[in-house]
């Protein structure tokens, strides 16, 4: 019933930009935060950025100054604007929602940055 639908991934050259979107549908009670994580085959899933319902943001050091997270609380949608992309940003990006009761995860969207 609950689904997180991610979109906006794709292939881009180094220095380019992408904007990811994640829309949460279904019954999710009391969302505390929404965010983005990423994972490559050789690494553990890592935090990229999060934003609370009050607008407080948190970024991984590797993306500060390049990525911007935002959300529309009324639509339960979170966005990730990614600028100045690097090959190191290549990964599957997962949308995450933290409610008072449990966590939700999207299916992932591939971002590939060519050198």
């Amino acid at each position: 019933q609950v689904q997180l639908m991610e979109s906006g991934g794709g292939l881009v050259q180094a220095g380019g930009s992408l904007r990811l979107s994640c829309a949460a549908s279904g019954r999710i009670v009391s969302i505390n935060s929404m965010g983005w994580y990423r994972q490559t085959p050789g690494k553990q899933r890592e935090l990229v950025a999060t934003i609370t319902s009050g607008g407080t943001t948190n970024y991984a050091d590797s993306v500060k100054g390049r990525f911007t997270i935002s959300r529309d609380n009324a639509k339960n949608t979170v966005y990730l604007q990614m600028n100045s992309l690097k090959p190191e940003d290549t990964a599957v990006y997962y949308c995450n929602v933290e409610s008072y009761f449990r966590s939700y995860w999207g299916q992932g969207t591939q971002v590939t940055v060519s050198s």
Side-chain angles (χ1 to χ4, degrees):
Q1 184 175 356
V2 174
Q3 294 185 16
L4 304 182
M5 300 301 298
E6 298 137 322
S7 62
L11 174 64
V12 65
Q13 294 184 0
S17 298
L18 287 172
R19 190 190 190 206
L20 305 183
S21 299
C22 174
S25 63
R27 183 177 174 83
I28 303 179
V29 179
S30 187
I31 294 176
N32 293 325
S33 67
M34 304 182 75
W36 294 92
Y37 291 70
R38 65 188 182 187
Q39 187 170 27
T40 58
K43 297 179 63 178
Q44 293 185 333
R45 185 167 53 189
E46 64 178 355
L47 181 148
V48 178
T50 61
I51 184 168
T52 69
S53 60
T56 301
T57 58
N58 181 43
Y59 296 93
D61 288 341
S62 60
V63 306
K64 285 182 179 178
R66 299 189 298 120
F67 292 8
T68 302
I69 189 170
S70 61
R71 68 177 292 178
D72 185 331
N73 289 339
K75 297 180 178 180
N76 282 342
T77 300
V78 63
Y79 307 93
L80 185 68
Q81 179 66 46
M82 304 185 293
N83 299 325
S84 301
L85 283 162
K86 305 175 181 180
E88 307 95 277
D89 297 317
T90 296
V92 177
Y93 284 69
Y94 294 92
C95 179
N96 166 251
V97 173
E98 298 292 334
S99 75
Y100 184 82
F101 300 100
R102 60 160 290 179
S103 301
Y104 300 89
W105 294 93
Q107 81 285 353
T109 184
Q110 178 70 46
V111 172
T112 302
V113 184
S114 63
S115 59

